[in-house]
Amino acid sequence: MRFHIITIFPEMFDSYLKESIIGRALKNKYISIKFYNPRDFIKAPKVNKNNYRPVDDRPYGGGPGMVMRAEPILKAIEKALANIRKSKKTKPKAKSRSELRSATGIILFSPSGKKFTTAYAKGAVKKYTDIILISGRYEGIDARVGKIIKNWKLEIENLSIGDYVLTGGELPAMVLIDCISRQIPGVLGKYESLEEERVSSSVVYTRPEVLKHKGKNYRVPKVLLSGNHKKIDEWKKKQKTG
Ligand code: SAM
């Protein structure tokens, strides 16, 4: 799976993507990640007082905050699409044009979008070879970006990672990359260790069997020490349903 991230803050991803399972998935080439900074697609070196090439402007109709302009984002998407096309050319397996098109998903983040779920992540692994993630900032992205992508007949989805408003789409992009990557066979040590594939519970215990804390003993539930896997699974299911 190749992730193409459109963001004005690529450095935010540095430490998260380097570590642990995702770091290993990158190293072992189960996934790859490319960044496209909309600021790099502004032609005139128009630097504002903060030394930034401004990608935002005031909203039509008034209101607080700024809106991300369409043009630099569209140029960044076009660059990602060109890279995807290039990489497909080197893969003889690729068949028709429409097949190539359908193997690319474009995701626009928005707090009011469709809720991202593990089921979505599983579907994405089956459907896509490339995902373009567009991280908004400020008050969001000029709505014409979504319209233009639809005109290109590309699959686009507005996704939310939860019912709360964040300052930007970088954390949502990391959430998606993490959740989708762990669905790729081989990324986790054993595919079977995917939580969704077995009876799992968020109520878990490890050594010691009896934890002594401030004069009290805290014991591991007996059933987990019983070796009776049927009973253990029943116990775990119960924890899940409360
Ligand atoms: N008024 C805007 C709206 O309702 O869409 C809020 C924009 S928010 C401050 C800035 C950006 O953060 C959004 O464009 C989106 O990319 C991202 N974002 C914020 N909360 C999010 C969430 N819950 N899920 C996905 N993306 C989110």
Side-chain angles (χ1 to χ4, degrees), residues 28 50 58 87 102 176 186 198 239:
N28 295 333
N50 299 320
R58 285 166 297 143
S87 68
S102 67
L176 250 81
R198 58 184 167 86
Q239 305 304 306

Side-chain angles (χ1 to χ4, degrees), residues 109-111 136-140 159-162 164-169 172:
F109 289 113
S110 151
R137 279 269 148 186
Y138 314 115
E139 281 310 303
L159 286 188
S160 161
I161 62 157
Y164 38 78
V165 180
L166 300 164
T167 50

Side-chain angles (χ1 to χ4, degrees), residues 1 3 12 16 33 54 75 80 115 129 141 152 155 163 167 172 186 198 231 242:
M1 177 73 75
F3 295 102
M12 282 188 176
Y16 191 78
I33 295 175
K75 282 190 181 144
K115 198 74 60 67
T129 55
I141 295 169
W152 290 342
E155 267 191 45
D163 294 331
T167 50
R198 58 184 167 86
K231 281 202 167 148

